[in-house]
Amino acid sequence: MLELIESHASFGGTQRIYRHESKAIGLPMRFSVFLPKEASQQRVPALFYLAGLTCTEETFPIKSGAQRFAAQHGIALISPDTSPRGAGVPGETDAWDFGVGAGFYVDATQSPWSKHYRMYSYVRDELRETVVSELAIDGTRLGIFGHSMGGHGALMLALRNPDIYRSVSAFAPIAAPMRCPWGEKAFGGYLGADREAWKQYDASELVGKATRKFAEGILVDQGMADQFLAQQLNPDVFEAACKAAGQPLTLRRHDGYDHGYFFISTFVEDHLAHHARVLVG
């Protein structure tokens, strides 16, 4: 059952925040949703947006300006929180890049994280099923995108589940998490020392094993003044993996842009258009 926390008129539709008891997480979870005006009369396609480190369900709707373009295309926008809250795991708030605000969209297998840190199952199954059953969302027309840690999540979830997500894009994704400090820290902590187990969550490893190509292409935008580009993001690795796998990719490199939401808000219109071509036609 959904509990409505906030609702605001926005571009002819409504921007809302909901809370619900999550079985996958075992704790209450919050997510934001923008519903265009069409949702008052019919089911609409939807885009899941996965946010980055330290963000919440509110970050994207407040900072991106995406509602204007979602309204133009008649697409809903859904953004979950980035981790469980209140799990009480010792040390979960000690670092900004692991634990609270940093669930990395994986299902943890290592104690004590495995009890509540199950963001993969939450996003793919429970959240999707909840919005389709409780809101005017067309479950056959879903796409996914995200930023940084959430860009990793979007690419990974789409590549693993092309039967669920029909379109995918990312802003400055952690594109090869097995090869960067953020990913090694998160995967080691949540999944343990076996690097073979990490491959199921690494987009650059998954693209060659995907059961279906995204024929319309994957869109990735990367700022070249991004302070995390050199050590953490590895877009070149993902680009090479896509080329080897025959997966169409549009990787756009933008001089002068950094890692933040000024970058995202500049190009979010293009991402909505990319998804609308698939989900709306």
Side-chain angles (χ1 to χ4, degrees), residues 70-190:
Q72 291 173 2
H73 295 294
I75 293 176
L77 299 172
I78 301 156
S79 185
D81 203 349
T82 51
S83 77
R85 306 277 170 172
V89 176
E92 70 174 354
T93 60
D94 289 355
W96 66 276
D97 57 356
F98 184 78
V100 172
F104 266 82
Y105 305 102
V106 304
D107 282 352
T109 58
Q110 302 301 298
S111 181
W113 307 99
S114 56
K115 183 177 181 181
H116 296 295
Y117 279 71
R118 304 186 69 250
M119 290 298 294
Y120 178 85
S121 291
Y122 174 71
V123 171
R124 187 192 68 174
D125 299 325
E126 186 175 24
L127 178 61
R128 174 176 59 88
E129 292 164 3
T130 297
V131 298
V132 169
S133 65
E134 298 290 334
L135 303 173
I137 302 299
D138 182 350
T140 68
R141 292 188 291 164
L142 304 176
I144 191 165
F145 67 147
H147 169 234
S148 192
M149 176 185 72
H152 136 73
L155 294 174
M156 174 268 294
L157 275 152
L159 289 166
R160 286 183 62 171
N161 302 282
D163 55 326
I164 294 176
Y165 306 105
R166 292 175 55 184
S167 58
V168 58
S169 69
F171 299 95
I174 304 172
M178 292 180 64
R179 306 190 191 194
C180 74
W182 279 342
E184 289 184 329
K185 180 177 182 177
F187 287 4
Y190 295 135

Side-chain angles (χ1 to χ4, degrees), residues 151-152 154-156 159 174-177 198-208 238 241-242:
H152 136 73
L155 294 174
M156 174 268 294
L159 289 166
I174 304 172
W198 299 6
K199 291 182 178 180
Q200 64 183 309
Y201 294 112
D202 187 307
S204 293
E205 296 286 335
L206 289 167
V207 69
F238 185 66
C242 285

Side-chain angles (χ1 to χ4, degrees), residues 232-272:
Q232 304 285 8
L233 303 182
N234 291 306
D236 296 350
V237 174
F238 185 66
E239 183 178 41
C242 285
K243 183 177 181 180
Q247 169 59 60
L249 170 70
T250 300
L251 173 55
R252 306 193 303 184
R253 297 171 171 89
H254 304 281
D255 290 339
Y257 285 90
D258 61 22
H259 197 68
Y261 271 81
F262 295 110
F263 159 63
I264 293 171
S265 63
T266 301
F267 299 107
V268 73
E269 179 179 9
D270 296 346
H271 284 248
L272 267 291

Side-chain angles (χ1 to χ4, degrees), residues 21 34 40 45 68 117 135-136 167 185 191 203 210 230:
E21 295 292 332
F34 170 75
S40 64
R68 177 189 300 273
Y117 279 71
L135 303 173
S167 58
K185 180 177 182 177
L191 305 175

